[in-house]
Each structure stands twice: as C-alpha cells, then as structure tokens.
Amino acid sequence: MRKVPLHFPNRPAALISLMNMILSLLQMSLAVSSPPDTYQEVASHKIMYTELSKTVHAYCRCRNKERAWSTPPKACLGFRGLSRRLSPRVTISILSHLPSAASRLRETICQYAAMTDVVGAILVQWNNNKLKAPSIDNCANLARSNGIVVETLTYEQNTLLNRYTGTQAMGPLTMLQDDDVRYSEHAVRAFVAVAALFPKSIVGVNGRMAVAYESPEATAKYFHPDKAPGRYLNDSRYRIDGKNTSKYLYNMATGTTSILQRSLIERFMDVPQASKDYISSHKPTCEDITLHFLASNMTRQPPIWFRLHHDDGGELDKLGDGDGLEMHLHVINWTDLRARCVDRVASDFGQFPLVQTNCRLDLHRSQLRHMDPAVW
C-alpha cells in the first residue's frame, strides 16, 4: 500500500507531521494484517469446533472406561468443550525426496501458506543428497507475506532419522508429514486443537495395532484394525464392561502424519542406538514404530487415531480409501516385516510400552450424528 502524505496549508508543521505519522502507522497495520475471514468461513469454523467438541467429549467418556489400561488425560476431567481461545500455531514439517513430486510439494506449501492464523512455519526437509532441493520461491513468498516462516533443510545422508532433526526451526507444536498427503484448513485446525488439548499423545490418522505374544519364540503381530477387525487378538483378553472391544483396538499410528509436541521430537535421538542404526540401513525402517515406543515409554498414554472425511485431506495418490494400506500391497509380506520391526524395537527398548485403546476421534461426516464413545 502506497503511503500518501497529508497536506494542510494553514496548520502548524508539528501537527501535520503528527497526523502523517498516524496515517503511516495505520497504513502499515493494514498492509501486514491478514484479510478478515468471511462470514461463511467464521460460521464454518464454528460448526467444526462444535462438532469437534462433541467428538472429544465422546472420546473422553470412552477413555474413562479404559482405566484398566491407562489413566484418562487430564483434559478429560470435567471437559465441557474446546476453548474459544486461538490454539497455538503449528509448524508443518514436510519430508520429501522425489524431484518428480516437486509440483505436488509446491501446491501443498501454497495451500498451507494461506492458513495464516493456524500455521506458524513450514519446514521442507529435503531428504535427497544427490539432487538439489526444488525451488519453492513463489509459495514461500506467499507464506512469508502472511507472516509464516518458510525454511528448507538439506542433509548429507538420506535417512528417515532426518525427520527428527531441525527442531530448532520447529515451533512447540509440530505436524510431521510425508509429501504425499495434504490437509484442509479445517483438518489442520482440528489437529492443532486436539494436539494442544492432549499434549502427551501423538495424533495420527491411521491407527495400527501391534500385539506382543508371551511365548519367546513367537513373533509379534502388526495389523490394520480397520481392515481386519480382531484378526490377531484373543477376544477374551480385551473386554470392557463385558463388551468385546477388540474390533478397533490400536496402540500406534503410521508415520505418514503425526501431530505432536516438539519436546518429544527432540527426544527421538535418545532412542537406543540399535534402533537408529536400523532406521538408517533397512527398509521398512519402522521409524514410526520406534517413535510410538518412545512416546508410550515416556507418557504411558496411547496415541489418538483421528479419522477425517476424505474431503479434508489425506493420501494424494488416492490408492484406495486413504488409510495407508493400499500403498504397501505391492510389498511382499509387508505386515510380517512390520511385525518383525515390533519384535526388534521391543528388544532394543527391553520392554513393550505401547498402550492400547479403542477410543478414536471421528470427524468423518457419516459419523457426525453418532457421537457415542467409539467402543465397538
């Protein structure tokens, strides 16, 4: 906005100078302020927060029934709804390595760059030491004009350990994601509100279950509870209030998207050295399983499985229903490989700290009228 000085021929110079200074300050304020939300946007956000409050209330009722497994979060004590105060702004950290995905990466950054009151920083972690990071100037400039910090980090070695570095550029609340997912403003607002409310839990979008068997020679089982309900569970061992609750039992989430506290990310380098060495030398790396072992060992809390409607984002490749299963169908014995990771990480940690739960946060539109606790 161009500054236009005022001219008053018969006024004292000091008064004219003062009025011009006031006008200049007003113009600067208008120049840096984000455009106000439209009435429709405000109403839409209000509806989302209302539905989210109902879902959180149901989640808390569910967790209160699982006291035999874990202590309900403090936020559930007398929960009456989400605060109207603005949630903290989130740092979105995108791990990318494929030059062919550069246009997709730029589109994702541009989308997040418009979320001025919910996103505080965008961090691109370029995990490819052979090729130069793609240019993101246009979207980065848009973000910076909206007061959002943008930074690209490059690394000398390609390893998924890089996901957990660069914490000096992250805010207190961070969303770690791959470059093949993207979320709407509604989804990001909901992620941030929930992660701020439950700081001891990792919020993810794809729940998974690992079962450790007591027999020393038996391997662990890892499966997708939404695809094969109870397939590997002994139903008699998992009951609450006389109900069979094994259908959607989970104790971890996949690493495609994780919303968590920076303090937990900073602790990742404290995991056993054997686990870090494996992440750098094997596929699947199972770094997400390692993260959940670390988190559960520190907090004794389960993750939070946050289910969204597909309109609010998810897998960009659209290889199915966005639950992360189909992308691994071409890998032989993928589930067995993940189960071996569970065994290996448990051996590295010397224990099995994962905390199980049936309770989910479900903002899927088909579920909005069914806000009872997710105990199936």
Side-chain angles (χ1 to χ4, degrees), residues 68-356:
W69 295 345
S70 62
T71 302
K74 290 183 178 179
C76 287
L77 183 63
F79 178 77
R80 296 183 180 277
L82 292 170
S83 171
R84 291 298 179 186
R85 294 178 300 158
L86 283 177
S87 299
R89 297 169 78 191
V90 66
T91 297
I92 299 181
S93 183
I94 307 170
L95 188 71
S96 184
H97 75 286
L98 292 175
S100 59
S103 61
R104 181 172 65 185
L105 176 63
R106 283 189 285 266
E107 291 170 3
T108 298
I109 295 172
C110 276
Q111 178 160 314
Y112 291 149
M115 303 180 188
T116 54
D117 62 343
V118 67
V119 176
I122 301 172
L123 183 63
V124 177
Q125 297 179 297
W126 183 246
N127 201 24
N128 189 328
N129 59 0
K130 295 181 179 179
L131 296 172
K132 185 179 179 180
S135 171
I136 56 171
D137 288 346
N138 290 339
C139 296
N141 291 336
L142 171 63
R144 294 183 182 111
S145 69
N146 287 330
I148 298 173
V149 176
V150 179
E151 187 172 350
T152 298
L153 299 181
T154 57
Y155 304 95
E156 295 181 357
Q157 181 184 4
N158 296 348
T159 168
L160 287 183
L161 288 175
N162 293 334
R163 193 195 294 273
Y164 304 96
T165 63
T167 52
Q168 72 280 358
M170 299 177 184
L173 191 62
T174 297
M175 181 165 80
L176 303 177
Q177 69 158 76
D178 293 339
D179 64 356
D180 60 350
V181 294
R182 186 185 305 150
Y183 297 98
S184 70
E185 184 174 352
H186 271 186
V188 176
R189 285 178 179 272
F191 287 155
V192 171
V194 170
L197 188 64
F198 302 111
K200 291 187 176 182
S201 292
I202 297 174
V203 179
V205 295
N206 302 313
R208 298 292 184 262
M209 183 67 189
V211 181
Y213 286 92
E214 297 176 1
S215 173
E217 65 274 6
T219 59
K221 291 295 183 181
Y222 170 91
F223 66 99
H224 307 76
D226 51 344
K227 288 295 180 183
R231 176 165 54 168
Y232 296 124
L233 294 183
N234 180 342
D235 292 346
S236 64
R237 296 178 58 189
Y238 302 95
R239 293 180 181 274
I240 300 177
D241 296 342
K243 296 180 180 179
N244 176 6
T245 62
S246 66
K247 187 175 181 182
Y248 287 99
L249 200 66
Y250 68 100
N251 55 16
M252 68 175 72
T254 61
T256 183
T257 305
S258 301
I259 306 91
L260 68 167
Q261 301 293 316
R262 178 185 59 198
S263 57
L264 178 57
I265 303 173
E266 292 172 335
R267 292 289 302 274
F268 190 85
M269 290 304 169
D270 295 337
V271 303
Q273 187 62 44
S275 293
K276 290 189 287 187
D277 292 342
Y278 191 94
I279 290 170
S280 296
S281 60
H282 288 75
K283 290 184 180 181
T285 68
C286 300
E287 43 89 20
D288 52 343
I289 294 177
T290 307
L291 174 65
H292 282 277
F293 265 72
L294 173 67
S296 297
N297 191 44
M298 290 174 55
T299 68
R300 307 301 178 189
Q301 287 292 308
I304 296 176
W305 183 357
F306 202 145
R307 296 184 72 239
L308 298 166
H309 189 271
H310 59 78
D311 286 349
D312 284 320
E315 303 279 350
L316 294 176
D317 293 330
K318 298 181 180 179
L319 299 178
D321 61 6
D323 72 346
L325 173 62
E326 288 79 1
M327 65 184 293
H328 299 304
L329 286 181
H330 66 283
V331 179
I332 298 175
N333 298 326
W334 174 260
T335 299
D336 291 337
L337 292 173
R338 295 283 277 180
R340 291 172 192 166
C341 280
V342 174
D343 279 333
R344 180 188 51 76
V345 176
S347 176
D348 293 344
F349 275 74
Q351 58 180 316
F352 191 87
L354 297 180
V355 181
Q356 63 199 19

